[in-house]
Amino acid sequence: MQDVSSIDTSTTLFGRNYPVPFGLAPSAMQKLAGGEGPRESVPLIKRAEAAGYEALVLTVDTPVLRNRINERKTPLVLPPGLHLSNLSPPPHSSQTERKPTANRLLMDARTGKKLTPSSSRRVAMKIILKGIMTPEDALLAVEHGADAIVVSNHGGRQLDEVCSTLEALPAIHSALATNVSERGKRNSIPVIFDGGVRHGADVLEALAMGADFVLLGRPVLWGLGYKGQEGVESVIHILERELTKTMALTGVAEVEGIGKEYIGVKDTSMGGFGVSKL
Ligand SMILES: Cc1cc2nc3c(=O)[nH]c(=O)nc-3n(C[C@H](O)[C@H](O)[C@H](O)COP(=O)(O)O)c2cc1C
């Protein structure tokens, strides 16, 4: 019974308007899937800033790689001609190679020097911390001056036992929504979300649970594998159409209006039959 004759999927993030409330998550080794790979890696932050990049995403959920048992059975070997341009080993690295992984990964890949955490910030770009899974860490991100967070479990590629990002989202959203600074001002930052988003309805669910923006991980790689750039554009268009239809069918015409009231959960009080509101 809502007017859904005109659906607007656009949204605003950092003051910029986007036609859809979703974007593409970062992933390494895209050339393995297809296409030309990233145009150019921009390893130096100052160069990125000079080139007009507006935000820097720092992935904070990978201080070490997990024990990837399947990759031990079938090691990932890059085909000739492909290499990890930002992670090329430091010169004379034979000694560092033998150090335990945790130590090795906390080193600067180029210089071999140990990375030390620093709270000072010297860039004007927005800083987005990716890989937040708890309200405590979300509040720490605000405290340290992050401009946004990405609720992400790295596509479930790091810790098998971790919960889904959709399960983690509500507590993070409410911690940020109720966070106030010492001077009593509301102290919140945008929440970006990724993990398992495959359809337009998944985007709507994440927005309803408190996300401001959503990222697609694997679907982008599938699009690349299917038809390079054209394939990725198809993925985006499919999700855009699905989101439009899902919004029309749930009865909400604008992204801003998508809230918890548009979704329901299994009603456990009736033996798992029926639906109740969150
Ligand atoms: C093959 C692959 C490589 C990835 N590489 C990175 C990476 O280099 N940095 C990063 O922050 N996240 C990386 N991710 C995680 C994605 O950014 C994203 O968090 C995750 O894939 C989202 O889940 P989804 O694949 O279910 O959409 C990678 C994911 C995949 C599948």
Side-chain angles (χ1 to χ4, degrees), residues 137-200:
D137 276 359
L139 295 176
L140 271 177
V142 175
E143 208 176 289
H144 286 289
D147 297 293
I149 55 165
V150 184
V151 172
S152 171
N153 61 16
H154 214 102
R157 290 161 56 77
Q158 281 293 81
L159 191 62
D160 269 347
E161 292 73 12
V162 78
C163 70
S164 78
T165 47
L166 200 63
E167 286 167 310
L169 181 60
I172 293 173
H173 169 67
S174 74
L176 288 177
T178 53
N179 189 40
V180 285
S181 71
E182 278 168 17
R183 286 143 104 203
K185 269 184 73 182
R186 213 173 139 251
N187 210 358
S188 190
I189 50 175
V191 175
I192 305 169
F193 171 94
D194 78 18
V197 176
R198 303 290 178 262
H199 300 282

Side-chain angles (χ1 to χ4, degrees), residues 36-207:
E36 296 160 34
R39 279 278 153 75
E40 189 195 357
S41 58
V42 191
L44 297 172
I45 294 167
K46 290 285 173 205
R47 264 185 74 200
E49 201 160 37
Y53 284 77
E54 292 175 17
L56 180 70
V57 176
L58 286 177
T59 300
V60 295
D61 61 14
T62 317
V64 294
L65 287 184
R66 73 146 196 244
N67 186 14
R68 295 185 171 173
I69 293 171
N70 288 339
E71 283 179 28
R72 283 178 173 232
K73 286 187 196 150
T74 318
L76 174 69
V77 181
L78 290 178
L82 293 194
H83 63 283
L84 297 169
S85 54
N86 282 345
L87 289 176
S88 50
H92 318 297
S93 62
S94 54
Q95 272 202 325
T96 34
E97 295 290 5
R98 279 197 291 273
K99 289 196 175 169
T101 333
N103 284 341
R104 189 147 48 87
L105 282 164
L106 291 169
M107 286 177 178
D108 183 297
R110 279 165 195 274
T111 62
K113 283 191 191 142
K114 201 166 189 310
L115 295 174
T116 44
S118 153
S119 57
S120 60
R121 112 183 234 154
R122 296 184 205 92
V123 287
M125 283 185 288
K126 303 278 183 215
I127 294 191
I128 303 172
L129 300 186
K130 176 170 179 282
I132 302 291
M133 284 294 283
T134 62
E136 291 84 356
D137 276 359
L139 295 176
L140 271 177
V142 175
E143 208 176 289
H144 286 289
D147 297 293
I149 55 165
V150 184
V151 172
S152 171
N153 61 16
H154 214 102
R157 290 161 56 77
Q158 281 293 81
L159 191 62
D160 269 347
E161 292 73 12
V162 78
C163 70
S164 78
T165 47
L166 200 63
E167 286 167 310
L169 181 60
I172 293 173
H173 169 67
S174 74
L176 288 177
T178 53
N179 189 40
V180 285
S181 71
E182 278 168 17
R183 286 143 104 203
K185 269 184 73 182
R186 213 173 139 251
N187 210 358
S188 190
I189 50 175
V191 175
I192 305 169
F193 171 94
D194 78 18
V197 176
R198 303 290 178 262
H199 300 282
D202 302 332
V203 176
L204 184 134
E205 281 174 24
L207 296 174

Side-chain angles (χ1 to χ4, degrees), residues 179-243:
N179 189 40
V180 285
S181 71
E182 278 168 17
R183 286 143 104 203
K185 269 184 73 182
R186 213 173 139 251
N187 210 358
S188 190
I189 50 175
V191 175
I192 305 169
F193 171 94
D194 78 18
V197 176
R198 303 290 178 262
H199 300 282
D202 302 332
V203 176
L204 184 134
E205 281 174 24
L207 296 174
M209 297 300 287
D212 296 294
F213 203 80
V214 173
L215 302 178
L216 313 171
R218 289 171 182 80
V220 175
L221 302 176
W222 297 330
L224 271 180
Y226 164 58
K227 236 182 190 179
Q229 178 177 339
E230 210 183 310
V232 178
E233 285 168 2
S234 297
V235 168
I236 295 169
H237 290 143
I238 291 169
L239 262 92
E240 181 190 6
R241 282 198 300 276
E242 286 179 347
L243 176 62

